[in-house]
Amino acid sequence: YNPRARRWAWRYATSLFLKWTGVPVGLVDPAYTSSRCPACRGFLARKSYRGLVCTSCGREWHRGEAAAANVALSPVARGLRC
């Protein structure tokens, strides 16, 4: 298992697909996406194994849902060159 080769293969396959379809894609930094509340940007505390609760607004999140929402709302770090 080589993560660098795997990343390269994914990026290469994605760029070929994007050239074919013409869809623009941007890269987002995934760091800390499941530790901030997507609604108020407060910190999320662990409620259960996969459950998180915001310390500011009190909303409850599944860690995957919070991460996906934060990735969708985050600014694009850089565009993927095709």
Side-chain angles (χ1 to χ4, degrees):
Y1 175 76
N2 186 348
R4 182 176 284 176
R6 189 178 178 107
R7 225 174 313 146
W8 177 85
W10 180 86
R11 225 179 231 177
Y12 180 72
T14 304
S15 67
L16 286 178
F17 177 75
L18 295 176
K19 280 182 185 178
W20 181 59
T21 59
V23 177
V25 170
L27 300 178
V28 174
D29 184 17
Y32 307 108
T33 54
S34 60
S35 63
R36 302 294 283 211
C37 178
C40 71
R41 305 304 299 159
F43 287 100
L44 294 172
R46 184 174 283 208
K47 181 180 177 183
S48 64
Y49 178 65
R50 291 191 176 107
L52 304 169
V53 63
C54 180
T55 57
S56 300
C57 66
R59 291 184 189 206
E60 295 183 9
W61 295 90
H62 183 276
R63 70 179 182 192
E65 292 170 350
N70 282 328
V71 166
L73 296 172
S74 66
V76 174
R78 63 186 175 100
L80 186 61
R81 209 169 22 143
C82 295

